Amino acid sequence: VGIPGLTPSCRFRCEVCERAEHTIKKRGRRTVEMAGEGKARKAKASPKEAPISNGLLTLYLTMYNAAQWMSWAYLAYLLLVKYIDEVQNGTYECEKYMREVYSVVGSFAGSLTLLGFLETIHALARFVKTSPMPTLFQTLGRFAVLNITVASVSEAQAWVSTGSFLLCFVVIENIRYPYYTVAQVLSLCNKKPPYILTWLRYTAWIPIYPTGIVTEWLTYYFSLPYLNNLELKLDIMPSISLPFYYVVVGLLVFYPIGGFVNLSHMGKQRKKALSPKQKFE
């Protein structure tokens, strides 16, 4: 039955509008249903044990970072005690002190450096939001200079350059690991570390990292004649070995490039971590 006063063309337009409205409502209901199905699938895919596993992972990372923190803090304590003792006895000399750093903390620092390879595994397993390659290169560099080069060349254990990079390790790790420990604990409450601690973590490296890179490079460079005489070899495969001398030559070439990449990476991280949005979030 037509509506009085409407022409056929008007009635046709009304019918078209009604059909379009019906189609839109139907599609809207379908979209809502699909969204509900998606949430249901997501809930099914995320088992109830997920919060428990996340809690265990946080506990493990907290314990690891706290253990590293306490260990490096102990090394800092040993160096501080030695410094105070020499100052009180009137025997303190900066160069002499730097030459004795390895004898105080070198062996323990080497063990902690070896343990640091776990951090590359953490990054590869996505336990932490960190790129594995910079972590691996940094740990390999430390391992090669401290656990192989300095451990093999006894003369290098009394060099100022060796004491300098070891001191850099001790200082930066007593900033880095407290930050990671606090961050893991506060993550349980969905909170972030205090801004001052974040600022220190992403600012202290600016003088320390370049100093460490340069002094590591110098230690490699000065150790070349000794490594050549030692004929120390690195086993690549059961039947293939490479003189460590040539490995160090390669490291001397690579260090400036790797150092630049590492410093650039840290610069990007600092910009992101200290952005106004992160500060006031």
Side-chain angles (χ1 to χ4, degrees):
V1 179
I3 300 174
L6 288 181
T7 64
S9 61
C10 289
R11 285 197 298 272
F12 175 73
R13 284 197 294 270
C14 287
E15 290 174 1
V16 170
C17 291
E18 288 175 1
R19 289 176 184 172
E21 187 179 353
H22 176 71
T23 303
I24 292 171
K25 287 181 179 178
K26 189 176 179 181
R27 287 180 179 175
R29 283 196 299 269
R30 181 58 184 159
T31 303
V32 172
E33 288 172 3
M34 289 175 66
E37 290 172 3
K39 287 181 181 178
R41 281 197 299 269
K42 209 174 269 187
K44 196 178 286 185
S46 305
K48 292 181 179 179
E49 290 79 6
I52 299 176
S53 62
N54 288 340
L56 289 174
L57 178 59
T58 301
L59 177 63
Y60 162 71
L61 291 174
T62 301
M63 291 177 64
Y64 170 81
N65 289 310
Q68 284 276 22
W69 176 14
M70 292 299 102
S71 299
W72 287 102
Y74 175 67
L75 296 187
Y77 166 77
L78 293 178
L79 290 175
L80 185 61
V81 167
K82 181 173 178 55
Y83 171 78
I84 293 173
D85 184 58
E86 290 189 0
V87 169
Q88 288 179 342
N89 294 331
T91 59
Y92 174 76
E93 293 179 9
C94 183
E95 184 176 347
K96 174 177 171 289
Y97 178 80
M98 296 303 293
R99 291 181 184 278
E100 295 174 348
V101 167
Y102 182 88
S103 63
V104 179
V105 302
S107 179
F108 195 6
S111 300
L112 294 177
T113 299
L114 189 61
L115 188 63
F117 279 104
L118 281 173
E119 295 174 28
T120 302
I121 298 174
H122 296 165
L124 287 170
R126 303 291 179 88
F127 290 169
V128 293
K129 295 178 181 179
T130 305
S131 176
M133 295 313 294
T135 306
L136 177 62
F137 288 146
Q138 186 178 33
T139 309
L140 279 174
R142 286 188 177 190
F143 180 80
V145 71
L146 183 58
N147 294 51
I148 301 180
T149 304
V150 177
S152 302
V153 180
S154 57
E155 292 84 355
Q157 298 170 11
W159 292 344
V160 173
S161 60
T162 300
S164 298
F165 76 68
L166 268 173
L167 202 57
C168 288
F169 290 177
V170 172
V171 173
I172 200 65
E173 301 303 38
N174 275 290
I175 295 172
R176 198 165 67 96
Y177 286 114
Y179 170 80
Y180 289 152
T181 303
V182 172
Q184 287 296 331
V185 172
L186 291 180
S187 69
L188 294 172
C189 312
N190 293 321
K191 292 184 179 180
K192 294 182 179 180
Y195 183 78
I196 185 63
L197 188 60
T198 304
W199 180 88
L200 189 62
R201 160 71 183 101
Y202 289 101
T203 303
W205 64 269
I206 295 175
I208 295 174
Y209 275 21
T211 303
I213 291 169
V214 170
T215 50
E216 285 177 41
W217 191 93
L218 289 172
T219 300
Y220 279 131
Y221 178 75
F222 292 136
S223 67
L224 281 176
Y226 301 96
L227 291 172
N228 193 30
N229 293 332
L230 285 173
E231 296 184 356
L232 185 65
K233 294 185 178 181
L234 189 67
D235 292 331
I236 302 174
M237 295 177 67
S239 59
I240 302 175
S241 59
L242 180 68
F244 190 67
Y245 174 88
Y246 294 110
V247 174
V248 171
V249 170
L251 286 171
L252 288 173
V253 176
F254 172 77
Y255 246 59
I257 302 170
F260 175 77
V261 171
N262 191 25
L263 294 177
S264 300
H265 173 72
M266 287 301 300
K268 291 176 182 177
Q269 282 196 328
R270 183 178 190 274
K271 186 177 180 181
K272 181 180 178 182
L274 301 184
S275 65
K277 181 181 177 182
Q278 294 291 332
K279 181 177 179 179
F280 298 108
E281 203 170 45

